[in-house]
């Protein structure tokens, strides 16, 4: 047999093998199709393979023991925001006509009151408290804006207050009906994305946002929107929720309204005598003019003064209680951070404010500055005073602080105090972006002894909760110098 004949036989054999393989593949495909068709019609399906376990949730976390909790804490999930992960290309080819404008869903015959959130988280809480009291006085339903990102975080996001506070219980205790902004003016995923993009772009033009934005009448309060420019938090709120405030001057002051000396009531940052700066002035103006607008949208509420007393706290603020899940998470975190605490153990909580608080005292002398930035040694003196009151020399201490100073952290550790560090825990994943700050607030509010920081609004609210909820007085560190030079 020649070499040529051998090659021909090999080629023929390979062709036969290829044909048989193709035939077998065709049979396999037909069988696969028939099998999948049977799966869709048969009622006697074999069980599907088990799905992977879901990621841990808050409820499942509560079932873990403390060792598991510690393990979960260090194995933090990535801080990823679904909206930030969304590809921009999804919106690149969408015209404004394809995305509807946000709709306001209101109840016919219901009169509402809302407000622009201001500054940091605790200031936003205090603005909520005062607006709630105004809603009660004016017989309106409170519309609560969400917590808005501010200068203390870089998330460019928002979160409902009802994630942390029991609003149904609030209405029952205070008599103030309340809904949330996202219930009255809900946004689709596309609308929310566009709003947050605009918040990132700030003053820069964004055509999609411009096509969806709506003008909302907004009453000028404390000069905001008039003599006073809007704060970054207020601007972020407006941009995220696709509206442009159209500022409206308030009605004239009622002649019967008491006008207070501004220096006496602490109004140093507003010189326009026609601006609303007190709660009673606002209530009198809108009551006297029998305002029939379905929505009274205030440009500001945080700085409003009440020379009569803490009526907004007594009638509104103290009734905003933490949700059970927040208190339970805080208690679990405490037991992990202080293992000797036990289930019913007592503890001292300290709030040490650092960060930008020095700005409140930047024009003061060195002695007055100590009210803003108090040495840690003075807090240590207050701890000894608390332990003396408790008659327990080893009462454990937990510290909530925004200090980034390694020296502060080392001193706290040397003193035997435990610092709350949510970067080691899954607080954000379980409770949201603002979870760490509000878990701290719950721990401060429920401490057996609380030591605060002068000039801090977070301390102020924690002290009010201590007094209203537990009938306890707050301790403060000494703010006089520890050394006086000889005369």
């Amino acid at each position: 047999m020649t070499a040529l004949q051998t090659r021909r036989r090999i080629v023929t054999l390979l062709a036969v093998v290829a044909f048989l393989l193709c035939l077998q593949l065709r049979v396999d495909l037909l069988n696969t199709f028939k099998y999948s068709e049977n799966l869709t019609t048969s009622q006697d399906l074999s069980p599907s393979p088990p799905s992977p376990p879901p990621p841990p949730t808050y409820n499942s976390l509560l079932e873990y023991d403390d060792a598991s909790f510690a393990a979960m804490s260090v194995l933090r999930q990535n801080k990823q925001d679904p909206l930030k992960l969304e590809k921009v290309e999804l919106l690149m080819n969408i015209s404004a006509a394809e995305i509807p404008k946000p709709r306001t869903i209101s109840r016919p015959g219901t009169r509402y009151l809302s407000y622009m959130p201001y500054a940091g988280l605790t200031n936003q809480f205090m603005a909520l408290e005062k607006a709630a009291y105004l809603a009660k006085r004016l017989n309106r339903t409170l519309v609560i804006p969400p917590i808005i990102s501010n200068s203390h975080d870089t998330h460019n996001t928002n979160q409902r207050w009802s994630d942390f506070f029991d609003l149904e219980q609030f209405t029952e205790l205070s008599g103030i009906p309340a809904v949330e902004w996202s219930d009255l003016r809900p946004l689709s995923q596309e609308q929310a994305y566009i709003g947050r993009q605009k918040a990132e772009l700030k003053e820069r033009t964004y055509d999609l946002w411009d096509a969806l934005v709506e003008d909302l009448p907004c009453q000028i309060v404390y000069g905001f929107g008039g003599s006073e420019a809007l704060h970054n938090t207020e601007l972020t709120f407006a941009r995220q929720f696709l509206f442009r405030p159209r500022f409206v001057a308030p009605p004239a002051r009622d002649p019967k309204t008491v006008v207070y000396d501004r220096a006496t009531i602490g109004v140093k940052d507003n010189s326009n005598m026609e601006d609303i700066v007190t709660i009673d002035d606002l209530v009198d103006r809108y009551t006297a003019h029998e305002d029939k607008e379905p929505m009274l949208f205030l440009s500001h509420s945080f700085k409003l003064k009440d020379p009569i007393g803490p009526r907004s706290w007594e009638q509104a603020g103290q009734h905003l209680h933490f949700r059970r899940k927040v208190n339970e998470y805080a208690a679990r975190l405490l037991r992990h951070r202080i293992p000797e605490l036990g289930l019913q153990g007592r503890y001292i909580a300290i709030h040490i404010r650092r960060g930008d608080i020095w700005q409140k005292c930047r024009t003061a002398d060195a002695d007055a500055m100590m009210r803003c930035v108090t040495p840690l040694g003075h807090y240590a003196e207050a701890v000894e005073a608390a332990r003396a009151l408790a008659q327990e020399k080893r009462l454990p201490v937990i510290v909530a602080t925004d200090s980034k100073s390694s020296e502060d952290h080392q001193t706290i550790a040397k003193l035997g105090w435990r610092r709350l560090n949510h970067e080691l825990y899954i607080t954000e994943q379980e409770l949201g972006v603002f979870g760490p700050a509000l878990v701290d607030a719950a721990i401060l509010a429920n401490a057996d002894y609380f030591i605060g920081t002068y000039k801090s609004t977070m301390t102020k609210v924690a002290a009010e909760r201590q007094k209203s909820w537990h009938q306890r007085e707050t301790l403060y560190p000494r703010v006089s110098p520890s050394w006086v030079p000889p005369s």
Side-chain angles (χ1 to χ4, degrees), residues 313-324:
W313 173 258
E314 292 168 353
Q315 298 194 38
Q318 70 167 325
H319 301 306
L320 282 161
H321 291 272
F322 292 108
R323 293 177 64 91
R324 181 180 176 183

Side-chain angles (χ1 to χ4, degrees), residues 144-425:
I144 306 174
I147 309 169
I148 297 292
S149 287
N150 52 78
S151 59
H152 299 298
D153 73 77
T154 58
H155 291 89
N156 181 27
T157 189
N158 60 78
Q159 193 171 353
R160 295 162 66 105
W161 283 102
S162 59
D163 287 350
F164 305 100
F165 294 93
D166 189 333
L167 296 186
E168 291 183 4
Q169 183 190 39
F170 167 73
T171 296
E172 290 175 6
L173 295 174
S174 68
I176 303 170
V179 297
E180 293 188 87
W181 187 272
S182 52
D183 296 325
L184 204 70
R185 191 176 169 82
L187 299 183
S188 68
Q189 189 176 17
E190 294 81 8
Q191 292 165 343
Y193 181 84
I194 291 169
R196 288 173 61 177
Q197 285 290 103
K198 176 60 177 177
E200 290 280 0
L201 294 170
K202 300 185 187 303
E203 300 296 336
R204 284 176 285 174
T205 302
Y206 185 27
D207 292 341
L208 279 176
W209 189 86
D210 291 337
L212 298 178
V213 70
E214 180 182 1
D215 288 346
L216 293 184
C218 186
Q219 281 72 26
I220 296 173
V221 175
Y222 212 96
F224 282 80
S227 58
E228 182 79 15
L230 291 186
H231 193 272
N232 285 337
T233 310
E234 296 164 313
L235 292 171
T236 299
F237 172 51
R239 289 162 179 160
Q240 285 185 356
F241 282 85
L242 306 176
F243 73 86
R244 188 184 293 112
R246 177 169 54 82
F247 295 107
V248 179
R253 180 178 288 116
D254 188 327
K256 298 178 182 178
T257 300
V258 177
V259 178
Y260 294 88
D261 176 72
R262 295 196 169 199
T264 302
I265 62 174
V267 179
K268 300 177 182 178
D269 54 353
N270 185 294
S271 58
N272 186 352
M273 294 303 296
E274 296 305 311
D275 281 345
I276 298 173
V277 297
T278 66
I279 285 176
D280 285 341
D281 185 13
L282 189 150
V283 171
D284 290 346
R285 292 195 200 206
Y286 287 98
T287 301
H289 289 79
E290 295 183 355
D291 186 74
K292 300 297 184 184
E293 288 295 325
M295 171 66 85
L296 187 59
F297 186 28
L298 310 179
S299 69
H300 194 78
S301 62
F302 167 72
K303 290 188 177 182
L304 285 173
K305 308 300 179 184
D306 189 359
I308 304 299
R311 291 178 294 178
S312 63
W313 173 258
E314 292 168 353
Q315 298 194 38
Q318 70 167 325
H319 301 306
L320 282 161
H321 291 272
F322 292 108
R323 293 177 64 91
R324 181 180 176 183
K325 69 176 183 179
V326 177
N327 284 325
E328 288 180 344
Y329 186 92
R332 194 156 185 81
L333 184 57
L334 273 173
R335 289 198 299 274
H336 174 256
R337 199 67 188 89
I338 312 175
E340 67 271 24
L341 190 64
L343 293 176
Q344 302 296 328
R346 299 192 299 167
Y347 67 96
I348 299 168
I350 309 177
H351 176 228
I352 300 174
R353 181 74 161 87
R354 292 294 194 244
D356 59 355
I357 196 171
W358 64 270
Q359 296 180 14
K360 295 184 178 181
C361 302
R362 62 181 179 270
T363 59
D365 57 26
D367 290 356
M369 176 65 81
M370 201 172 289
R371 284 181 169 266
C372 288
V373 186
T374 307
L376 291 181
H378 294 200
Y379 287 98
E381 293 174 355
V383 167
E384 293 310 308
R387 285 172 170 165
L389 289 171
Q391 298 181 342
E392 191 173 340
K393 292 183 179 180
R394 300 182 64 83
L395 199 62
V397 177
I398 194 82
V399 177
T401 181
D402 60 347
S403 174
K404 304 298 182 185
S405 164
S406 59
E407 183 179 348
D408 280 353
H409 297 174
Q410 290 169 9
T411 302
I412 289 169
K414 287 177 182 178
L415 288 166
W417 304 345
R418 322 295 171 84
R419 181 172 62 91
L420 290 167
N421 182 5
H422 292 279
E423 292 183 1
L424 301 177
Y425 294 92

